Amino acid sequence: MDNLTTPYSLERHLQALCAQDGSFDNLLATWSLNKRSCAEGLKTVAQNFPHYSVHDDRHSETILSNMEMLLGEKRIAVLSPTDTWLLLQVAYLHDFGMALLYERVESVWGDEDFQDYLKELRESFNPSLKEASLYLNALHENLGNKDFEKSWPLKVRRYTTQVIAGYFRGKHADLSAAYAEQMKTCWGIDLTHSGLIPGRLIKLIGRISSLHTRDTKEVLELDYRTDGYGADYAHPRFIAEMLRLGDLLDADSG
């Protein structure tokens, strides 16, 4: 480490561990593939959240940098292979629930829960969401009126985006957890890579992702230590709190 010219990162640590013990090579291989695949998926977040802060792979990389600065090189150097792999994975997967598929939005729009949400927005304390809800309701009532404003398609686009973002923003952590287990079906991304990674670790990623917006007391419901990859151990509470801190400290995303 003393001879390094660049910081000893989590990714470099995983590479070093795998160089020492080839039994963990699958962790590095799957991380390299998942990183590229998830980065592409995260680029779609801006389509439905254009007015929100950055939540693409730049946000994920900032979270990893924050984790590394918090830990310091000496602590990174003693992390287990599974803990290192999990920190890398959750940084990229915790906000994947904001990458919305059209089919999911379309199916939700007609749900009673979503329609109740639209009605509640008419009394919202958020002026943008309240305006959006009132306009969409007025549009429904005035489409047959020939004097209705000509710019309605542009406003519908803006207001619909605001409503969708407002609804799914509060659910994105749970949706990230659901995606973790359904990634192959929904996105064509096999996080286990045909079983190279145990499914229980993918479920753990989802569980940790779902907790990044919740009360910290729920983190204590996770195991302190659990089986990791192969003969390794993992520490779910530690991973969850590092994700929460790394996310909280992203002050550069706007």
Side-chain angles (χ1 to χ4, degrees):
M1 283 170 52
D2 293 337
N3 297 322
L4 292 177
T5 56
T6 57
Y8 188 65
S9 66
L10 290 164
E11 191 168 53
R12 292 189 74 171
H13 180 56
L14 184 59
Q15 292 169 348
L17 289 171
C18 292
Q20 295 169 14
D21 188 343
S23 66
F24 294 109
D25 284 349
N26 285 342
L27 293 178
L28 180 60
T30 55
W31 156 244
S32 300
L33 293 170
N34 291 346
K35 179 182 180 180
R36 290 197 293 270
S37 298
C38 291
E40 288 300 311
L42 287 170
K43 290 177 182 177
T44 68
V45 170
Q47 295 176 9
N48 288 293
F49 296 86
H51 51 307
Y52 275 71
S53 57
V54 175
H55 277 83
D56 57 15
D57 57 323
R58 289 172 294 172
H59 174 56
S60 300
E61 285 298 314
T62 300
I63 288 177
L64 290 176
S65 295
N66 291 340
M67 290 178 179
E68 291 159 356
M69 292 173 70
L70 280 164
L71 289 168
E73 294 181 344
K74 291 182 179 179
R75 291 190 182 92
I76 292 174
V78 297
L79 288 176
S80 72
T82 307
D83 279 341
T84 308
W85 181 83
L86 285 171
L87 287 172
L88 292 166
Q89 294 284 0
V90 297
Y92 267 75
L93 283 164
H94 75 286
D95 275 339
F96 213 89
M98 294 177 70
L100 302 178
L101 296 167
Y102 174 80
E103 293 81 3
R104 184 176 290 273
V105 177
E106 184 179 40
S107 66
V108 164
W109 195 274
D111 289 350
E112 183 178 350
D113 181 59
F114 185 82
Q115 291 302 313
D116 289 341
Y117 166 74
L118 279 178
K119 293 176 183 177
E120 292 170 3
L121 287 184
R122 298 172 195 173
E123 305 298 329
S124 174
F125 290 107
N126 183 317
S128 296
L129 288 175
K130 181 175 182 179
E131 181 182 355
S133 175
L134 291 173
Y135 185 88
L136 291 174
N137 182 64
L139 174 65
H140 179 73
E141 297 176 355
N142 287 283
L143 273 178
N145 184 348
K146 65 179 181 179
D147 296 323
F148 195 60
E149 60 184 323
K150 300 295 186 295
S151 62
W152 69 264
L154 298 177
K155 289 191 175 181
V156 166
R157 179 185 180 186
R158 184 178 76 187
Y159 290 144
T160 301
T161 297
Q162 290 175 348
V163 167
I164 290 172
Y167 182 77
F168 281 98
R169 174 60 178 168
K171 300 177 180 293
H172 85 279
D174 289 334
L175 189 52
S176 294
Y179 274 157
E181 296 187 47
Q182 303 167 8
M183 195 70 82
K184 185 174 182 179
T185 303
C186 295
W187 292 91
I189 302 172
D190 181 7
L191 296 176
T192 72
H193 293 276
S194 300
L196 292 180
I197 300 297
R200 58 183 170 78
L201 290 181
I202 304 303
K203 289 183 179 180
L204 181 58
I205 290 172
R207 175 66 175 143
I208 291 172
S209 296
S210 73
L211 292 173
H212 84 273
T213 61
R214 296 187 180 175
D215 193 293
T216 191
K217 293 179 181 178
E218 294 191 44
V219 174
L220 297 178
E221 296 175 7
L222 292 170
D223 292 328
Y224 170 74
R225 185 172 71 170
T226 189
D227 289 344
Y229 180 84
D232 195 20
Y233 287 100
H235 300 82
R237 294 182 194 175
F238 166 71
I239 304 298
E241 288 297 351
M242 288 304 301
L243 172 62
R244 290 157 66 90
L245 283 168
D247 197 20
L248 178 68
L249 293 173
D250 182 6
D252 295 330
S253 67

